[in-house]
Amino acid sequence: MSISMLESQCWGSCQTCSLSSLCLPLALCINEMKEFDAIITRRRAPLVRGENLCRQGESFTNVFAVRSGSFKQIVLDEEGEEQISHFYLPGELIGLESIDEGHYPGFVVALGRSSVCEIPFQQLDTLAERIPSLRQQLYRSISRGMNEDRHLIRLLTCKSAEERIASFFLDLGRRFRRSGFAFEHFRLPMSRTDIGSHLGLALETVSRVLGRLQQQGVISLHGRELQILRTDELYRLSEKYPSHAGGMGALR
Amino acid sequence: MSISMLESQCWGSCQTCSLSSLCLPLALCINEMKEFDAIITRRRAPLVRGENLCRQGESFTNVFAVRSGSFKQIVLDEEGEEQISHFYLPGELIGLESIDEGHYPGFVVALGRSSVCEIPFQQLDTLAERIPSLRQQLYRSISRGMNEDRHLIRLLTCKSAEERIASFFLDLGRRFRRSGFAFEHFRLPMSRTDIGSHLGLALETVSRVLGRLQQQGVISLHGRELQILRTDELYRLSEKYPSHAGGMGALR
DNA sequence: CGCAGATTTGAGCGTATTCAAGTGACGTGG
DNA sequence: CCACGTCACTTGAATACGCTCAAATCTGCG
């Protein structure tokens, strides 16, 4: 009973949502926000760790906004190998890359107890037709997604393991800060394996780099509890090598 | 005189453009297409090789549609190192990732004599407000861009040099085919260096892999004239190793 | 023709991988 | 309560792939 009370508070309207300032309703007036609120389907229960929000290949109908917790997007390639293409933190939108092809390109899995707002895309578009600022915000959200991907691409094409991880932590910090959490102190929602899969590194490499970063006193890490001790140094490490990359050890 | 005649033909309306079926006006009726046509600014002269379409940091006002030729997007990082984040072929849209931040994230440079349609984004949005199918197409274009980027990310996180280049050629082929060119025979618009920069490989590695692919009889390559001889084999090579990646030789 | 840029080829090396073993945390069941 | 299995993570050793450096060759173009 008390839990459901809490949760109904949690799932209040956009007007009471602490993330509304970085979500789609960002620039809406009260009345518009009410309209927007009306099309949102709120999930009855939060998802638990490992639960699927959507499945690869499933037809696209909804965009999701992360309300709490976090998610990873896993793409299974032709050989059945997993590949983590994206992490989603509170306030971020899931599913925008599916508009074109009409189906979700991968599984989206909760990394812990997480909740989302479910937004039927068709209705979102109908509403966006009438509300220019909502339309703007939708464009911007999609565009931002592209931009983040381009960053990751640059990271992957020309950075060493250390740089990748430094960049990754800085990126996570920034994104957490946007949602009102601390920049320098947060809990990593994902495993080392997940990080490796996302950054194109073996988990052993991730582990080794993390060890090195701790030895250097740049971060402290207990389990998944991360503290960024020297932001400037982490930043320096994230862009240490100006150019290309270097070979690739072995291949499995 | 004769040139300008030719060019004015080249720059005819969307209705006469061979690419309209894969560009924004895709689903528009005659009248809508005329409206759309009206907001497009056509460049007076095609760009020559090396000419900038837009500059890094410049404020975003226009989306561009490639009409002929091709472009590369170069991003200069903090250290001034170049990084090719994207190639644009005929029928593709340039600039969509700039909507959010409001400025172009990199230079877009013509890879040969190329022409574009210049579409003021503000006006495009105004028009999209009234024309649902144009809006849909805009969403889809942006979404497709994200999707392509995700593909590249997967390529970069877990593929060997050979796989990357095989994937890259297959991707180029598909994109050329969409614009009405041959899938198995086209001219590479970019240099080996450009390919390397885009795929996170040293140009020497690109060169070596190309040599190997030719020896194996998978492709034939004279200068930049590429012929895909065995598509199935190229496809097989593009997904040879199911998983991770491998080290990174040296780091400059 | 001759230069500049693009590409090819060779030798040696370094980073990150793979394989392998070992530690630690956690929850289950005897 | 402790043995045990599982899972995430750490650490070590050997290896491989692609990088860097260097020089040669090819190409396009004035």
Side-chain angles (χ1 to χ4, degrees):
Chain A
M1 203 50 187
S2 63
I3 286 180
S4 83
M5 286 288 284
L6 271 169
E7 288 182 337
S8 71
Q9 285 181 357
C10 251
W11 303 340
S13 67
C14 289
Q15 298 163 66
T16 62
C17 176
S18 64
L19 297 172
S20 69
S21 64
L22 48 102
C23 191
L24 281 173
L26 182 141
L28 304 186
C29 71
I30 296 282
N31 286 332
E32 290 167 344
M33 205 181 279
K34 279 180 183 163
E35 286 193 274
F36 178 74
D37 221 36
I39 68 169
I40 293 180
T41 318
R42 284 190 180 73
R43 299 199 136 242
R44 262 168 305 251
L47 294 87
V48 298
R49 196 175 96 81
E51 200 176 340
N52 279 330
L53 185 60
C54 62
R55 292 165 192 286
Q56 182 161 346
E58 198 179 332
S59 80
F60 166 75
T61 48
N62 299 308
V63 166
F64 303 93
V66 182
R67 229 169 141 71
S68 70
S70 49
F71 295 84
K72 62 178 173 183
Q73 182 184 57
I74 300 181
V75 178
L76 260 61
D77 63 22
E78 305 79 1
E79 325 271 287
E81 286 300 316
E82 292 195 358
Q83 174 77 206
I84 294 180
S85 49
H86 210 85
F87 293 112
Y88 297 95
L89 304 186
E92 299 180 341
L93 293 178
I94 299 173
L96 295 175
E97 76 284 2
S98 317
I99 299 174
D100 179 45
E101 299 208 337
H103 48 81
Y104 299 106
F107 298 82
V108 175
V109 181
L111 288 169
R113 191 180 175 81
S114 307
S115 58
V116 297
C117 294
E118 203 174 311
I119 311 169
F121 185 72
Q122 203 54 255
Q123 296 181 51
L124 174 60
D125 178 53
T126 307
L127 198 59
E129 180 168 357
R130 286 191 291 113
I131 308 179
S133 61
L134 177 60
R135 200 166 60 236
Q136 271 297 319
Q137 198 49 33
L138 181 54
Y139 290 143
R140 294 186 57 167
S141 294
I142 309 183
S143 172
R144 182 193 301 153
M146 282 185 86
N147 220 3
E148 285 173 3
D149 286 347
R150 295 278 165 99
H151 273 288
L152 183 58
I153 287 172
R154 283 193 289 148
L155 184 151
L156 293 170
T157 27
C158 65
K159 296 202 172 183
S160 69
E162 198 167 69
E163 290 174 281
R164 291 182 197 199
I165 289 178
S167 296
F168 179 65
F169 283 171
L170 289 172
D171 182 51
L172 278 185
R174 285 189 208 106
R175 289 159 68 189
F176 272 122
R177 182 171 52 194
R178 266 211 326 222
S179 5
F181 296 91
F183 169 81
E184 348 68 34
H185 185 224
F186 51 88
R187 187 180 170 72
L188 293 175
M190 70 294 283
S191 70
R192 310 286 195 265
T193 309
D194 287 345
I195 296 177
S197 169
H198 184 57
L199 299 180
L201 301 169
L203 81 156
E204 296 96 327
T205 306
V206 174
S207 184
R208 273 182 256 267
V209 171
L210 294 182
R212 214 182 307 155
L213 290 177
Q214 283 186 91
Q215 276 194 331
Q216 297 171 343
V218 179
I219 62 170
S220 93
L221 188 54
H222 298 292
R224 296 190 178 173
E225 213 64 41
L226 175 72
Q227 174 109 38
I228 299 178
L229 300 174
R230 295 203 273 150
T231 308
D232 55 336
E233 184 63 9
L234 196 60
Y235 188 76
R236 201 184 63 72
L237 288 174
S238 78
E239 47 180 41
K240 197 165 175 185
Y241 297 103
S243 106
H244 243 185
M248 324 212 342
L251 267 166
R252 35 177 34 213
Chain B
M1 201 51 187
S2 63
I3 287 178
S4 83
M5 287 287 285
L6 272 170
E7 289 181 337
S8 71
Q9 285 182 356
C10 252
W11 302 340
S13 67
C14 289
Q15 298 163 65
T16 63
C17 178
S18 63
L19 297 173
S20 68
S21 64
L22 48 103
C23 190
L24 282 173
L26 183 138
L28 304 187
C29 70
I30 295 283
N31 286 332
E32 289 167 344
M33 205 182 279
K34 278 181 182 162
E35 286 193 273
F36 179 74
D37 221 37
I39 68 169
I40 293 180
T41 318
R42 286 192 178 70
R43 299 202 136 240
R44 262 169 305 250
L47 293 87
V48 298
R49 198 175 94 81
E51 201 175 339
N52 280 328
L53 185 61
C54 63
R55 291 164 193 286
Q56 183 162 347
E58 197 179 332
S59 81
F60 166 75
T61 49
N62 299 308
V63 166
F64 302 94
V66 181
R67 229 169 141 70
S68 69
S70 49
F71 295 83
K72 61 180 173 182
Q73 182 184 57
I74 300 180
V75 178
L76 261 60
D77 62 22
E78 307 78 2
E79 326 271 287
E81 287 300 316
E82 293 194 356
Q83 173 76 206
I84 295 181
S85 49
H86 210 86
F87 293 112
Y88 297 95
L89 304 186
E92 299 180 342
L93 293 177
I94 299 172
L96 295 174
E97 76 284 2
S98 316
I99 299 173
D100 179 46
E101 299 208 335
H103 48 81
Y104 299 106
F107 297 82
V108 174
V109 182
L111 288 169
R113 190 181 177 80
S114 307
S115 58
V116 297
C117 294
E118 202 174 313
I119 310 168
F121 184 73
Q122 203 54 254
Q123 296 182 50
L124 174 61
D125 178 52
T126 306
L127 198 59
E129 180 169 357
R130 285 190 293 115
I131 308 179
S133 61
L134 177 61
R135 199 165 62 238
Q136 272 296 321
Q137 197 50 33
L138 181 55
Y139 290 142
R140 294 186 56 167
S141 295
I142 309 183
S143 172
R144 182 191 302 155
M146 283 185 85
N147 220 0
E148 286 173 2
D149 285 347
R150 296 277 166 99
H151 273 287
L152 182 57
I153 288 172
R154 283 193 291 147
L155 183 153
L156 293 171
T157 27
C158 65
K159 296 201 172 183
S160 68
E162 199 166 71
E163 290 174 280
R164 290 181 197 198
I165 289 178
S167 297
F168 179 64
F169 282 171
L170 289 171
D171 182 52
L172 277 185
R174 287 189 207 104
R175 288 159 68 190
F176 271 123
R177 183 172 50 196
R178 266 210 327 223
S179 2
F181 296 91
F183 169 80
E184 349 68 33
H185 185 224
F186 50 87
R187 188 179 170 75
L188 293 174
M190 71 294 284
S191 70
R192 310 287 196 264
T193 310
D194 287 344
I195 296 176
S197 169
H198 184 57
L199 299 180
L201 301 169
L203 79 156
E204 296 96 327
T205 304
V206 174
S207 184
R208 273 183 259 267
V209 171
L210 293 183
R212 213 182 308 153
L213 290 177
Q214 284 186 89
Q215 276 193 331
Q216 298 171 343
V218 180
I219 61 169
S220 94
L221 188 54
H222 298 291
R224 295 191 179 173
E225 213 63 42
L226 175 73
Q227 174 108 39
I228 299 179
L229 300 174
R230 295 203 275 151
T231 308
D232 55 336
E233 183 63 9
L234 195 60
Y235 188 75
R236 202 185 61 75
L237 288 174
S238 78
E239 46 180 40
K240 197 165 175 184
Y241 297 105
S243 108
H244 244 183
M248 326 215 339
L251 267 166
R252 30 181 41 213

